[in-house]
């Protein structure tokens, strides 16, 4: 690829690159005192100059949000990346940071609008924090846009931005990764090779190549430059983008079963959506117990085959069964009626830390009762625990609704559930690469996502979470079953296709036979290596751009000094 635009060397050139035209200077101008415009005037000029670019960034950010569920227009993810690359290309780091922020804030606001059930201040606050990462990305994209092969370095920077955002602050928040907009696109099979980071890299590189082609073809506007040779770089970039788009079809996605198991997913339903979905005590537990008792009656009548195991969702017991005998007895009654192990979701008092609770999946056997269990490893900050509780609760009184903090578990959710060795992942944990990967590496033959999305019902959040399950199925070559209190419960095949799913806010039981697999994918074997390698390449490209820019500036200053002498 030919090199990108040269780095601007002086103040006049920087102003020109920002679109500010300056008249030629005369000797009289040099001797006359110059009055510096006031700050308000300068800000008004800046706002007027940047308004079209900022508006374009806002539109591109909204377009990126529409590429995610529930809209699922995945090609917009490629177009949005291309737009951000073009809008930041050749800009100063400060200008590009603002463009990245203007792109990201509406993107996250639309994507995370489901948080409005907590409050629009929560939507804006989280969007603001996440947008800061993409503001830094915008500045970095501007730096590397001056290097040869800039689409490649830009795509590595997208991976670096997601790596940081997935881990910081407070354990990170992976929502909005490019990979999660492409769980049913030609890029999806790449997850079997390098997980979500490789899918993000491919999407970003395709967008960068598209931007490169647009920039190359834009340079052909003067009539004298319209030659086949001049157009060749843009055509080549488009061809590479198309090849990358089709590369996923060549990736084998392992789906052959080593065994199979019959499962039943029980969606008991809740009284209503929102923050107060629990209703009266025992209501949600009764819903799931009754649905399981009805399943037992249907099995006895020969209407449906007996499952090998039953899966209840997260929080399916709204009371701690070890503290409330009526909850224990109700669960035990339903489990004995169906006659097979049931994976029950319950909040229980932490056995060793007074005042804390565990969000657990418990294997409940019809003969021996509760046995193996898994405690959620990654509680959600401000939802399942309050960081800096003593200080923040006084300022944000709404946090007092989180009365007790969840305690993080210390091991993966691999448990023998009847005849199947399953890997339990609870709710938002499906968004975190390491948790799911470690669960598969510990021997999970299929994955279970126990979730409670009742708070965010009919907001688009359940669809976004189901999309993550689809990507994980391809990434690890495992069937993924999602059990939700109010929906969406679903069965996802190892190739990412949704075979069955429930409607929201209905009581339902999904019966299915799912494959069990022992083999691992390339993504399982390489782990996080590709993500860190790509991120490091992106950071090194920024360092190279800074170094080259300083050398170029030094040479320019030296020439100016000689000219003055």
């Amino acid at each position: 690829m030919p090199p990108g635009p040269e780095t601007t060397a002086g103040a006049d050139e920087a102003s020109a690159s920002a679109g500010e035209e300056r008249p030629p200077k005369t000797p009289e101008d040099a001797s006359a005192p110059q009055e510096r415009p006031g700050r308000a005037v300068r800000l008004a000029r800046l706002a007027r100059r940047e308004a079209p670019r900022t508006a374009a960034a806002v539109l591109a950010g909204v377009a990126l949000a529409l590429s995610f569920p529930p809209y699922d227009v995945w090609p917009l993810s490629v177009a949005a990346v291309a737009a951000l690359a073009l809008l930041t290309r050749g800009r100063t780091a400060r200008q590009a940071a603002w463009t990245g922020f203007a792109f990201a804030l509406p993107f996250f606001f639309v994507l995370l609008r489901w948080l409005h059930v907590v409050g629009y201040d929560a939507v804006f606050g989280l969007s603001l924090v996440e947008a800061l990462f993409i503001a830094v990305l915008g500045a970095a994209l501007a730096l590397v846009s001056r290097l040869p092969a800039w689409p490649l370095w830009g795509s590595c920077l997208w991976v670096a931005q997601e790596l940081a955002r997935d881990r910081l602050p407070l354990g990170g928040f992976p929502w909005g990764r490019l990979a999660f907009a492409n769980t049913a696109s030609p890029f999806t099979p790449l997850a079997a090779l390098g997980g979500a980071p490789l899918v993000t890299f491919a999407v970003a590189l395709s967008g960068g190549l598209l931007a490169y082609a647009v920039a190359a073809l834009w340079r052909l506007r003067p009539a004298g430059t319209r030659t086949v040779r001049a157009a060749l770089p843009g055509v080549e970039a488009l061809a590479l983008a198309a090849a990358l788009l089709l590369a996923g079809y060549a990736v084998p996605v392992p789906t052959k079963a080593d065994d199979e198991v019959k499962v039943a997913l029980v969606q008991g339903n809740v009284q209503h959506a929102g923050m107060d979905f629990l209703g009266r005590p025992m209501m949600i537990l009764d819903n799931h117990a009754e649905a399981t008792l009805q399943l037992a009656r249907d099995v006895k009548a020969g209407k449906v085959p007996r499952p090998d195991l039953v899966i209840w969702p997260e929080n399916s017991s709204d009371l701690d069964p070890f503290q409330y005998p009526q909850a224990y007895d109700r669960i035990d009654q339903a489990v004995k009626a169906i006659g097979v192990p049931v994976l029950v979701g319950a909040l229980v008092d932490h056995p060793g830390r007074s005042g804390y609770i565990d969000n657990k999946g418990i294997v409940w056997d019809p003969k021996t009762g509760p046995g193996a269990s898994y405690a959620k490893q990654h509680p959600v900050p401000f939802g399942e625990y309050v960081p800096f509780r003593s200080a923040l609760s006084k300022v944000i009184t709404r946090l007092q609704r989180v009365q007790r903090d969840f305690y993080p578990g210390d091991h993966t959710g691999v448990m023998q559930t009847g005849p199947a060795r399953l890997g339990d992942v609870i709710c938002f944990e499906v968004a975190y690469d390491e948790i799911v990967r470690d669960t598969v590496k510990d021997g999970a033959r299929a994955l279970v996502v126990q979730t409670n999305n009742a708070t965010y019902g009919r907001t688009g959040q359940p669809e976004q979470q189901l999309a993550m399950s689809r990507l994980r199925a391809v990434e690890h070559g495992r069937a993924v079953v999602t059990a939700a209190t109010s929906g969406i419960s679903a069965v996802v095949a190892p190739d990412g296709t949704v075979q069955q799913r429930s409607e929201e806010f209905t009581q339902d039981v999904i019966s299915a036979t799912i494959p069990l697999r022992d083999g691992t994918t390339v993504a399982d074997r390489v782990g996080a290596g590709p993500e860190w390698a790509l991120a490091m390449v992106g950071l090194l490209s920024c360092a190279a751009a800074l170094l080259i820019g300083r050398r170029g500036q030094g040479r320019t200053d030296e020439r100016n000094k000689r000219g003055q002498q």
Side-chain angles (χ1 to χ4, degrees):
M1 294 179 183
E6 297 180 358
T7 307
T8 54
D12 291 341
E13 291 169 313
S15 298
S17 69
E20 182 179 341
E21 297 183 0
R22 292 176 178 264
K25 292 184 178 181
T26 65
E28 291 78 7
D29 293 332
S31 60
Q34 301 292 321
E35 288 190 13
R36 182 179 175 84
R39 175 174 294 182
V41 174
R42 295 199 307 273
L43 288 176
R45 288 178 181 175
L46 177 63
R48 192 162 52 246
R49 187 171 63 241
E50 293 296 321
R53 192 180 298 265
T54 299
V58 169
L59 291 175
V62 172
L64 181 58
L66 297 179
S67 69
F68 286 80
Y71 312 103
D72 277 325
V73 190
W74 67 262
L76 289 177
S77 62
V78 178
V81 170
L84 184 61
L86 289 171
L87 291 169
T88 56
R89 184 167 180 262
R91 307 284 282 171
T92 66
R94 183 180 298 179
Q95 292 166 342
W98 167 253
T99 301
F101 182 80
F103 170 92
L105 189 61
F107 161 56
F108 283 113
F109 193 89
V110 175
L111 180 74
L112 304 178
R113 188 179 170 275
W114 43 267
L115 265 175
H116 76 272
V117 298
V118 178
Y120 272 103
D121 55 341
V123 182
F124 181 78
L126 183 56
S127 300
L128 181 63
V129 172
E130 298 299 303
L132 295 176
F133 288 89
I134 297 189
V136 176
L137 171 65
L141 290 174
L143 286 175
V144 302
S145 71
R146 299 176 172 89
L147 296 176
W150 54 267
L152 177 60
W153 319 129
S155 56
C156 292
L157 287 169
W158 271 96
V159 176
Q161 171 265 140
E162 290 188 357
L163 184 151
R165 197 163 56 79
D166 297 352
R167 293 163 173 81
L168 300 170
L170 301 173
F173 187 68
W175 243 258
R177 300 170 73 179
L178 294 178
F180 294 153
N182 287 269
T183 60
S185 79
F187 296 107
T188 309
L190 295 172
L193 297 180
L198 185 59
V199 177
T200 285
F201 173 78
V203 174
L205 183 53
S206 296
L209 289 168
L210 179 60
Y212 185 95
V214 171
L217 296 174
W218 183 258
R219 289 195 295 268
L220 301 181
R221 286 177 299 157
T225 62
R226 297 174 188 170
T227 64
V228 173
R229 184 173 182 177
L232 194 57
V235 174
E236 288 175 344
L238 286 175
L240 283 173
L244 190 60
L245 180 67
L246 298 175
Y249 291 115
V251 176
V253 177
T255 59
K256 185 178 179 181
D258 297 306
D259 201 354
E260 59 184 28
V261 65
K262 295 191 290 293
V263 301
L265 311 179
V266 175
Q267 178 176 301
N269 202 14
V270 299
Q271 187 175 12
H272 49 72
M275 294 290 290
D276 301 311
F277 65 88
L278 284 172
R280 61 173 175 77
M282 290 283 292
M283 176 177 289
I284 292 179
L285 175 54
D286 281 338
N287 288 350
H288 287 84
E290 184 53 45
T292 304
L293 292 170
Q294 183 59 50
L295 173 63
R297 290 191 287 268
D298 290 342
V299 169
K300 187 175 182 179
K303 296 180 180 179
V304 295
R306 181 181 297 277
D308 297 314
L309 58 97
V310 175
I311 299 170
W312 286 10
E314 176 190 27
N315 302 157
S316 47
S317 178
D318 46 7
L319 293 177
D320 182 350
F322 304 112
Q323 298 295 327
Y324 294 90
Q326 63 269 38
Y328 186 105
D329 293 341
R330 188 64 164 144
I331 296 171
D332 207 48
Q333 176 195 17
V335 174
K336 287 178 177 177
I338 192 62
V340 299
V342 178
L343 182 61
V344 177
L347 300 180
V348 303
D349 289 342
H350 189 278
R353 295 290 297 257
S354 178
Y356 287 87
I357 55 177
D358 286 337
N359 188 353
K360 278 195 171 184
I362 306 167
V363 179
W364 205 292
D365 188 88
K367 295 180 180 178
T368 60
S373 64
Y374 165 67
K376 187 176 184 180
Q377 300 175 70
H378 198 300
V380 178
F382 304 105
E384 294 175 331
Y385 76 98
V386 180
F388 319 110
R389 175 182 286 275
S390 58
L392 290 180
S393 295
K394 297 176 183 177
V395 179
I396 310 173
T397 56
R398 195 184 315 159
L399 295 177
Q400 296 172 9
R401 299 186 67 172
V402 184
Q403 297 178 2
R404 292 198 294 169
D405 291 339
F406 288 28
Y407 198 82
D410 57 4
H411 59 80
T412 65
V414 179
M415 297 177 288
Q416 191 69 34
T417 310
R421 189 169 173 80
L422 302 179
D424 190 17
V425 176
I426 297 180
C427 201
F428 279 23
E429 289 185 326
V430 72
Y432 294 88
D433 294 348
E434 296 86 354
I435 291 176
V436 184
R437 184 189 305 121
D438 290 346
T439 302
V440 172
K441 290 176 71 175
D442 277 358
R445 306 183 76 195
L447 293 169
V448 173
V449 180
Q450 291 182 291
T451 187
N452 175 19
N453 290 327
T455 301
Y456 308 112
R458 298 193 181 102
T459 64
Q461 188 271 352
E463 287 90 343
Q464 292 174 9
Q465 192 170 314
L466 178 59
M468 297 174 192
S469 294
R470 299 183 67 178
L471 186 76
R472 299 307 182 196
V474 176
E475 180 178 358
H476 303 292
R478 295 291 190 272
V480 180
V481 293
T482 298
T485 50
S486 59
I488 302 170
S489 301
V491 177
V492 182
D495 63 358
T497 58
V498 179
Q499 295 184 328
Q500 296 185 61
R501 57 168 286 173
S502 68
E503 297 299 324
E504 291 190 71
F505 295 103
T506 60
Q507 189 172 103
D508 199 0
V509 175
I510 296 177
S511 297
T513 300
I514 63 170
L516 302 176
R517 299 192 68 257
D518 297 310
T520 55
T521 63
V522 175
D524 292 322
R525 295 191 287 273
V526 300
E531 180 182 27
W532 284 97
L534 290 169
M536 187 60 66
V537 169
L539 295 178
L540 289 174
S541 68
C542 283
L546 286 170
L547 182 61
I548 292 171
R550 286 178 181 176
R551 286 180 177 176
Q553 183 67 46
R555 287 193 295 267
T556 301
D557 292 343
E558 183 65 26
R559 286 195 299 268
N560 292 339
K561 185 177 180 180
R562 290 175 182 174
Q564 291 173 359
Q565 292 175 350

